[in-house]
């Protein structure tokens, strides 16, 4: 080959290379431009809907390809379909599988939990939406511009809109910020919506709630009973025991209001509307010094929202009650939220109500009316409950926030007895009303304050006309609480924060009893002005491997003129990326307790009455607790181990509900408990399973009653709960069981009554709590399904079954002299039998 020919060949190759490089260097081109260029090149026309091609940008096909090859290339890259119409017309349209708005689910990469309230923004054109509670979003327009995802707790992310052009709504994963991750040990603890934090507390968010076996709705206090160290010896919320304590030793707050009543339907249902509560913080040890008046746990419930959501509402019903709540956005900085719930048990007897009814009214006045009186008596009863809440929030400027809250709760029972010659009536009622006001102020980046003022009024009353004689009994118990708290927080160094506060509470407790025959009347009222000064120091270094809180609460009880100092601490240390160790301890006290004077008080239903410490027969209760825990967490496993020792002084025999030789005693004592709690969870993508185990040895010491220690009435030595849960998008299924060893009880020495004093026959007993009931076992299941119609409109349907196997669980046994006065009979109380329930919820 001659030199000139080589030169022309080189020039030819170079020009082709430059041409190809120029074509490829154009980069990605919008599909609209490509269709126009291809049409001009090959003399054809493409017809299409603007929105269906707007999102696509791609590298141009080779200019020298045939038309058919270019169309095949575009089809492979876009999934669009090309249909020939005539000689030179093509119709471009969506594959039916992809014919939908651009949508997706925003998911936490670490926990697989949905991300709520994230901003989804289309670049340049300013269109943005926020994700819903399940992480779902849907864009109102289609654009080729990049899509940004923004959330303060996660790293921002940008994607090409073509990533959303797939069948269904894909999952988009976001990485949490490091400092957010280190604030929690596990985002999904037992179920979605329950978070175990590094300060030892549990954070429960019902709006993100998954499902627990036997529950169709996120009943907060029923959920707590699934946790290690939390039990109820009789299945009720109103008898919840945390680490061996009685129910009155737990503090319950709702938006800063102290709640003295926690259960509807005599403790079988929580008083807190399950569709309303926004955030519940549950603490078993290492409690902040800002919480007083409890020697056991703290449940701090808040319905306050940081974000001003759009107007929305929902209505729901189950086989016991119906409920609804609505939020109205008044302005970009204000909203109002109301809720209400009422049972329909006074006019509709569902199968669920009948099982609850049988469980509650066995061995009470209500049942005995027919069991122990002549058949000529006809009796009817009418029972219902309701609760209502109000919440108003106003953001003022950039650093101030005002909120006002109110709550009212009521349970009512009426019993009518018809005899041939007379009519007898009995009435029972229980209510709790409360209001609160909170002002939060962020003065600088390092300094903020919070002021809370609240009132709470509780009343329990009963009126009973005896069937067998003309005796009329009236009883009432009321508590009035006015409280205020000022709190300030100042970060004086990058890693150190000082919290200070002052609390003042005026508490009044009244107990009244009136009987006409024999004539008896009493009205006892006690009032105390209690104050507390609080100081708390927090250390959180920037590497987030250490968390230390140390605080002191100095209480002054005005009625008794007594000062009690309570130091508290919590320390958490990350040993590795997966393992952490914690130590916690606290001194706590309380001046109120619930006692039982007579088992037949208040119709024998809710027979506990609040009383105030008097320094004599009812001292101030004091607790000491120390604990050590270890946790392991990775993407698949969560393991927590906690060991603790707890001692409570100043308890009374009347508080503990004895039904043996100590039933009418008025003694002061203590209990000590040594326990271990284990929780194990394993994730399997859409499935996860967990197991909760508790072991404790809980001993009373009442020196004036019995010289030795004996088992606590609330002691369940072994307790186990487990579940397997399927939780994916709109379908949730849960199956699980609960088992625990039997509670202690006391047996008689013989079946013969002691008639040494004929006027006062009695039963002779063995040593206290010498026997145990048979083990308790319950298998439960739940399922729910949600259908979304629009961004805000949806329907949720759920079903549940408690005690699927219909096992007859004995939960209480005591002895009494029979009606004829000739012998001893034992009374057995059983748990719920098989109980189905259904639930439907409409959101709009």
């Amino acid at each position: 080959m001659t030199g000139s020919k080589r030169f022309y060949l080189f020039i030819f190759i170079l020009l082709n290379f430059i041409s190809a490089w120029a074509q490829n260097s154009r980069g990605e081109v919008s599909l609209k431009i490509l269709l126009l260029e291809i049409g001009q090149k090959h003399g054809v026309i493409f017809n299409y809907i603007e929105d269906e091609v707007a999102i696509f940008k791609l590298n141009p096909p080779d200019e020298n390809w045939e038309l058919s090859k270019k169309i095949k290339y575009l089809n492979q890259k876009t999934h669009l379909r090309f249909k020939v119409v005539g000689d030179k017309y093509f119709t471009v349209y969506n594959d039916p599988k992809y014919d939908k708005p651009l949508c997706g689910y925003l998911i936490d990469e670490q926990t697989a939990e949905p991300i709520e309230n994230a901003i989804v923004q289309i670049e340049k054109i300013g269109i943005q939406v926020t994700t819903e509670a399940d992480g779902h979003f849907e864009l109102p327009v289609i654009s080729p511009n990049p899509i940004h995802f923004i959330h303060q707790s996660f790293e921002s992310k940008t994607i090409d809109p073509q990533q959303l052009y797939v069948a269904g709504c894909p999952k988009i994963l976001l990485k949490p910020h490091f400092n957010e991750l280190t604030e929690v040990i596990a985002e999904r603890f037992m179920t979605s919506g329950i978070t175990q934090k590094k300060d030892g507390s549990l954070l429960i968010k019902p709006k993100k709630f998954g499902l627990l076996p036997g529950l169709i709705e996120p009943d907060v206090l029923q959920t707590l009973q699934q946790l290690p160290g939390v039990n109820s010896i009789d299945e009720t919320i109103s008898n919840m025991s945390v680490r061996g304590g009685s129910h009155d030793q737990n503090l319950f707050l709702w938006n800063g209001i102290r709640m003295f009543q926690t259960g509807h339907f005599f403790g079988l249902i929580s008083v807190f509307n399950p569709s309303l509560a926004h955030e519940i913080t549950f603490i078993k040890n290492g409690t902040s010094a800002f919480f007083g008046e409890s020697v056991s746990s703290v449940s701090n419930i808040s319905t306050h929202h940081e974000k001003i959501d759009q107007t929305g509402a929902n209505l729901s019903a189950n086989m016991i009650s119906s409920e609804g709540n609505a939020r109205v956005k008044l302005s970009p900085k204000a909203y109002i939220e109301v809720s209400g719930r009422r049972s329909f048990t006074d006019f509709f007897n569902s199968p669920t109500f009948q099982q609850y009814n049988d469980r509650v009214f066995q061995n009470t006045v209500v049942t005995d009316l027919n069991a122990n009186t002549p058949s000529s008596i006809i009796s009817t009863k009418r029972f219902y409950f309701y609760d209502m809440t109000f919440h108003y929030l106003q953001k003022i400027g950039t650093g101030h926030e005002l909120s006002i809250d109110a709550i009212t709760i009521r349970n009512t029972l009426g019993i009518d007895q018809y005899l041939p010659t007379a009519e007898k009536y009995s009435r029972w009622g229980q209510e709790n009303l409360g209001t609160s006001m909170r002002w939060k102020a962020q003065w600088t980046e390092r300094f903020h304050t919070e002021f809370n003022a609240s009132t709470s009024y509780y009343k329990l009353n009963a009126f009973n006309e005896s069937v067998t004689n003309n005796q009329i009994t009236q009883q009432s118990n009321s508590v009035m609480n006015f409280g205020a708290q000022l709190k300030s927080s100042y970060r004086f160094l990058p890693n150190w924060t000082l919290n200070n506060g002052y609390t003042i509470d005026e508490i009044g407790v009244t107990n009244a009893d009136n009987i006409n025959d024999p004539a008896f009347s009493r009205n006892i009222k006690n009032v105390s002005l209690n104050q507390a000064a609080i100081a708390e120091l927090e250390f959180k270094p920037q590497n987030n491997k250490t968390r230390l809180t140390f605080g002191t609460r100095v209480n002054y009880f005005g009625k008794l003129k007594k000062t009690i100092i309570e130091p508290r601490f919590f320390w958490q240390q990350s040993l590795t990326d997966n393992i952490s160790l914690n130590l916690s301890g606290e001194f706590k006290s309380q001046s109120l307790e619930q006692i039982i004077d007579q088992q037949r008080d208040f119709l024998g239903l809710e027979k506990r009455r609040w009383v105030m410490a008097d320094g004599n027969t009812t001292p101030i209760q004091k607790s000491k607790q120390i604990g050590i825990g270890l946790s392991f967490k990775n993407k698949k496993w969560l393991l927590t181990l906690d060991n603790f020792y707890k001692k409570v002084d100043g308890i009374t025999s009347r508080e503990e509900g004895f039904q043996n030789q100590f039933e009418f005693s008025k003694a002061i004592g203590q209990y000590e408990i040594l326990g271990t709690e284990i929780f194990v969870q394993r994730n399997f993508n859409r499935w996860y399973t967990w197991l909760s185990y508790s072991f404790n040895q809980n001993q009373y010491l009442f020196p004036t009653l019995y010289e030795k220690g004996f088992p606590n009435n609330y002691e369940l030595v072994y307790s186990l709960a487990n579940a397997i849960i399927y939780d994916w998008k709109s379908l949730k299924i849960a199956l699980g069981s609960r088992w625990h060893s039997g509670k202690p009880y006391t047996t008689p020495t013989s079946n013969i009554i002691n008639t040494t004093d004929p006027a006062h026959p009695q039963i002779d007993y063995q040593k206290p709590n010498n026997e145990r009931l048979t083990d308790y076992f319950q298998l439960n299941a739940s399922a729910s399904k949600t259908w979304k119609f629009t961004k805000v409109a949806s329907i949720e349907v759920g079903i549940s079954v408690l005690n699927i196997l219909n096992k007859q669980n004995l939960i209480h046994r005591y002895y009494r002299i029979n009606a004829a006065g000739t012998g001893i009979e034992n009374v057995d109380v059983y748990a719920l039998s098989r109980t189905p329930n259904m639930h439907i919820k409409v959101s709009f």
Side-chain angles (χ1 to χ4, degrees):
M1 184 180 292
T2 64
S4 60
K5 288 182 179 180
R6 290 193 187 99
F7 175 76
Y8 290 130
L9 178 61
F10 172 76
I11 294 298
F12 176 77
I13 294 173
L14 181 61
L15 290 174
N16 276 277
F17 173 79
I18 293 172
S19 175
W21 176 83
Q23 181 172 315
N24 291 330
S25 66
R26 295 175 65 190
E28 291 187 340
V29 179
S30 73
L31 181 58
K32 287 174 58 178
I33 294 175
L34 285 180
L35 292 176
L36 180 62
E37 291 178 350
I38 292 171
Q40 292 174 347
K41 173 77 174 178
H42 296 278
V44 295
I45 297 175
F46 295 96
N47 296 316
Y48 50 82
I49 297 174
E50 182 79 18
D51 283 351
E52 292 184 353
V53 302
I55 66 170
F56 296 107
K57 286 184 177 181
L58 60 159
N59 290 317
D62 192 313
E63 193 176 89
N64 297 317
W65 285 355
E66 296 178 355
L67 176 62
S68 59
K69 190 174 182 179
K70 290 181 179 178
I71 289 176
K72 184 178 180 180
Y73 169 80
L74 296 179
N75 171 257
Q76 290 174 343
K77 293 294 184 180
T78 67
H79 299 294
L80 292 172
R81 294 189 176 185
F82 293 79
K83 182 178 180 181
V84 181
V85 182
D87 293 333
K88 62 174 186 176
Y89 290 95
F90 284 82
T91 299
V92 185
Y93 60 97
N94 263 327
D95 185 318
K97 290 191 301 183
Y98 308 108
D99 192 9
K100 61 173 181 58
L102 296 182
C103 62
Y105 289 90
L106 213 55
I107 303 295
D108 186 328
E109 185 181 83
Q110 296 288 330
T111 66
E113 290 296 302
I115 301 172
E116 184 183 7
N117 292 329
I119 296 173
V120 184
Q121 186 180 70
I122 301 175
E123 191 177 286
K124 294 182 180 178
I125 64 175
I127 299 294
Q128 69 178 42
V129 297
T130 56
T131 55
E132 301 168 17
D134 59 357
H136 181 264
F137 66 89
E138 184 177 298
L139 295 171
V141 299
I142 295 177
S143 167
N145 298 334
I147 299 171
H148 304 295
F149 299 94
I150 304 166
H151 192 285
Q152 61 181 1
S153 300
F154 295 84
E155 295 180 9
S156 298
K157 186 172 186 175
T158 301
I159 66 169
D160 189 284
Q162 292 184 56
Q163 290 182 238
L164 302 181
Y165 187 70
V166 294
C169 297
K171 292 190 298 182
I172 308 298
L173 304 180
L174 294 190
K175 291 182 179 181
H177 286 309
F178 180 74
N179 62 339
E180 290 291 331
L181 275 177
T182 53
E183 288 299 311
V184 301
I185 294 175
E187 276 288 349
R188 176 183 278 173
F189 187 89
M190 299 178 61
T191 183
S192 57
I194 304 181
T195 302
Q196 186 184 30
K197 302 186 70 178
K198 282 197 170 183
D199 63 2
S201 66
L202 286 174
L203 188 65
I204 303 171
K205 297 182 178 181
K207 282 186 68 177
K208 294 186 176 181
F209 217 79
L211 201 63
L212 286 172
L215 301 182
I216 53 174
E217 296 179 282
D219 188 304
V220 174
L221 301 187
Q222 290 282 10
T223 301
L224 294 182
Q225 293 184 24
Q226 311 279 340
L227 302 173
V230 184
N231 292 293
S232 174
I233 58 174
D234 60 5
E235 294 186 319
T236 65
I237 289 166
S238 56
N239 210 3
M240 190 174 80
S241 172
V242 179
R243 292 186 169 177
S246 55
H247 184 74
D248 59 312
Q249 293 173 350
N250 303 310
L251 175 66
F252 297 93
L253 298 171
W254 184 87
N255 288 343
I257 303 168
R258 183 175 181 182
M259 303 302 298
F260 297 94
Q261 176 187 347
T262 57
H264 282 315
F265 215 133
F266 309 99
L268 291 176
I269 301 170
S270 166
V271 297
F272 304 113
N273 193 319
S275 64
L276 180 67
H278 182 64
E279 189 172 284
I280 302 96
T281 301
F282 179 67
I283 310 168
K284 291 186 287 187
N285 193 9
T287 309
S288 167
F290 285 89
F291 297 109
E293 277 297 323
S294 77
V295 294
S296 200
S297 72
V298 173
S299 296
N300 187 22
I301 304 169
S302 171
T303 64
H304 297 160
H305 302 255
E306 292 296 328
K307 184 175 180 291
I308 308 294
D309 292 327
Q310 295 298 319
T311 296
N314 65 69
L315 298 171
S316 62
N318 55 46
M319 297 179 73
I320 294 290
S321 63
S322 58
E323 65 195 50
N325 77 287
R327 182 187 301 113
V328 179
K329 183 176 181 179
L330 304 177
S331 73
K333 291 191 174 184
Y335 74 88
I336 188 172
E337 186 170 28
V338 295
S339 77
R341 173 171 54 167
R342 191 193 189 279
S343 69
F344 37 75
T345 51
D346 49 334
F347 57 84
F348 176 65
N349 290 345
S350 68
T352 308
F353 167 74
Q354 195 55 54
Q355 296 299 336
Y356 278 31
N357 181 76
D358 293 344
R359 163 65 185 85
V360 169
F361 294 128
Q362 58 184 331
N363 305 312
T364 66
V365 169
V366 178
T367 304
D368 290 346
L369 292 174
N370 292 321
N372 299 328
T373 55
S375 59
S376 58
I377 298 176
I378 300 173
S379 65
T380 62
K381 61 179 180 289
R382 180 175 179 265
F383 169 78
Y384 67 92
F385 65 80
Y386 66 81
D387 57 71
M388 295 183 290
T389 67
F390 169 86
H391 172 57
Y392 170 74
L393 184 137
Q394 175 71 60
K395 293 182 182 292
I396 304 169
T398 57
H400 295 260
E401 181 180 287
L402 171 69
S403 60
I404 298 173
D405 295 275
I407 186 170
T408 178
I409 298 163
R410 175 78 183 177
N411 283 253
T412 299
L413 172 68
I415 308 167
D416 300 330
Q417 306 156 68
Y418 304 99
L419 292 81
T421 57
E423 295 182 6
K424 302 283 185 170
Y425 305 97
S426 294
R427 299 289 182 266
W428 177 95
Q430 185 183 33
E431 64 181 345
N432 202 154
L433 296 85
T435 60
S436 69
M437 185 275 288
R438 183 187 72 171
W439 184 286
K440 292 176 66 177
Q442 185 77 44
W443 301 101
T444 69
E445 183 183 351
R446 301 167 63 184
F447 179 66
H448 71 268
T449 60
E450 182 175 322
F451 174 74
N452 291 275
S454 67
T455 65
S456 184
Y457 174 72
Y458 167 83
K459 187 171 185 180
L460 174 66
N461 61 81
F463 173 88
N464 184 35
E465 289 185 325
S466 174
V467 176
T468 57
N469 53 49
N470 293 322
Q471 187 182 77
I472 299 175
T473 303
Q474 298 181 70
Q475 297 177 303
S476 69
N477 171 227
S478 64
V479 182
M480 190 71 193
N481 185 185
F482 297 95
Q485 183 182 85
L486 178 63
K487 176 183 178 180
S488 70
S489 293
Y490 176 61
R491 182 163 52 84
F492 59 93
L493 289 172
N495 301 332
W496 293 90
T497 301
L498 177 64
N499 302 317
N500 290 294
Y502 171 76
T503 297
I504 183 168
D505 285 279
E506 184 179 51
I507 305 174
V509 180
T510 302
N511 280 285
D513 297 85
N514 291 281
I515 302 174
N516 67 332
D517 187 18
F520 173 80
S521 179
R522 70 171 180 176
N523 192 320
I524 302 172
K525 183 174 182 178
N526 291 293
V527 179
S528 182
L529 185 66
N530 303 332
Q531 303 173 66
I534 301 148
E536 193 171 72
L537 197 60
E538 289 184 78
F539 173 67
K540 288 196 296 183
Q542 294 179 353
N543 64 13
N544 287 300
K545 291 185 177 295
T546 303
R547 177 74 175 266
L548 174 65
T549 302
F550 179 82
T552 301
R553 183 183 179 95
V554 181
N555 295 296
Y556 178 74
F557 298 94
K559 179 179 173 60
L560 302 179
K561 296 180 172 58
K562 187 169 186 176
T563 301
I564 297 178
I565 300 175
E566 300 171 359
R568 304 172 188 182
F569 77 92
F570 182 86
W571 174 57
Q572 188 276 332
Q573 180 66 50
S574 296
L575 304 179
T576 69
D577 289 341
N578 303 109
I579 300 174
S580 61
L581 174 74
N582 69 75
L583 292 173
S584 56
E586 61 184 24
F587 282 63
K588 296 170 72 177
S589 64
Q590 67 181 66
S591 61
L592 298 185
E593 68 177 61
Q594 282 184 302
I595 65 167
I596 299 175
D597 269 348
Q598 302 283 336
Q599 290 291 335
R600 309 300 289 180
D601 281 354
F602 300 99
L603 305 187
L605 295 170
E606 183 58 64
K607 48 209 171 191
R608 295 180 178 273
R609 62 174 79 204
W610 288 96
V611 297
M612 182 179 290
D614 58 13
N616 296 310
T617 58
T618 309
I620 292 175
Q621 295 183 10
K622 302 176 186 177
S623 70
K624 304 172 185 177
Q625 186 176 186
I626 187 75
I628 182 171
L630 194 68
S631 65
F632 171 82
K633 171 73 170 64
N634 62 22
K635 289 186 177 181
K636 297 291 186 180
W637 287 94
L638 168 66
L639 170 65
T640 66
L641 171 66
D642 290 287
N643 294 283
F644 69 93
Y645 168 77
K646 177 180 172 184
K647 180 181 179 181
V648 179
D649 293 300
I651 65 172
T652 65
S653 54
R654 294 189 299 167
E655 179 187 21
E656 299 303 302
F658 289 109
Q659 285 186 277
N660 53 18
Q661 60 265 52
F662 304 146
E663 181 172 348
F664 303 105
S665 301
K666 296 182 178 181
I668 299 171
Q670 66 180 43
Y671 71 81
E672 288 183 296
I673 177 170
L674 187 66
T676 297
E677 299 164 358
I678 298 173
F679 181 82
V680 181
Q681 180 173 285
R682 175 69 162 86
N683 294 332
F684 302 91
N685 196 10
R686 301 176 187 180
W687 297 82
Y688 59 98
T689 183
W690 56 262
L691 182 145
S692 165
Y693 170 79
S694 301
F695 166 80
N696 70 75
Q697 292 181 325
N698 193 350
Q699 294 282 302
Y700 281 132
L701 183 60
F702 284 93
T704 60
L705 298 181
Y706 193 71
E707 67 275 10
K708 299 179 181 179
F710 59 95
N712 192 304
N713 292 342
Y714 295 92
E715 183 187 56
L716 302 176
V717 179
Y718 306 102
S719 179
L720 182 72
N722 59 55
I724 182 168
I725 300 169
Y726 176 83
D727 189 344
W728 181 247
K729 293 184 179 179
S730 60
L731 177 64
K732 301 177 179 68
I733 302 172
L735 176 68
S737 64
R738 298 183 65 188
W739 171 87
H740 61 71
S741 53
K743 62 165 284 193
Y745 71 101
T746 309
T747 58
T749 56
S750 72
N751 293 329
I752 301 173
I753 301 172
N754 183 340
T755 56
T756 304
D757 181 357
H760 300 93
Q762 63 182 24
I763 300 172
D764 289 332
Y765 286 94
Q766 303 275 7
K767 64 180 183 179
N769 289 343
N770 63 307
E771 292 288 345
R772 289 187 180 274
L773 301 178
T774 56
D775 292 354
Y776 173 100
F777 177 77
Q778 189 181 77
L779 181 66
N780 308 312
S782 300
S784 71
K785 171 72 174 175
T786 302
W787 291 269
K788 292 186 70 69
F789 303 107
T790 67
K791 182 180 177 180
V792 296
S794 65
I795 292 180
E796 178 184 290
V797 176
I799 59 172
S800 69
V801 182
L802 283 168
N803 197 5
I804 295 173
L805 303 179
N806 204 27
K807 188 177 186 300
Q808 194 175 40
N809 287 304
L810 180 62
I811 57 176
H812 185 45
R813 173 176 288 169
Y814 64 95
Y815 298 85
R816 67 186 182 191
I817 299 173
N818 62 25
T822 58
I824 298 173
E825 62 185 11
N826 74 282
V827 179
D828 289 341
V829 179
Y830 291 93
L832 277 168
S833 55
R834 184 185 297 121
T835 304
N837 205 348
M838 295 181 63
H839 161 80
I840 183 169
K841 180 178 181 179
V842 180
S843 301
F844 51 92

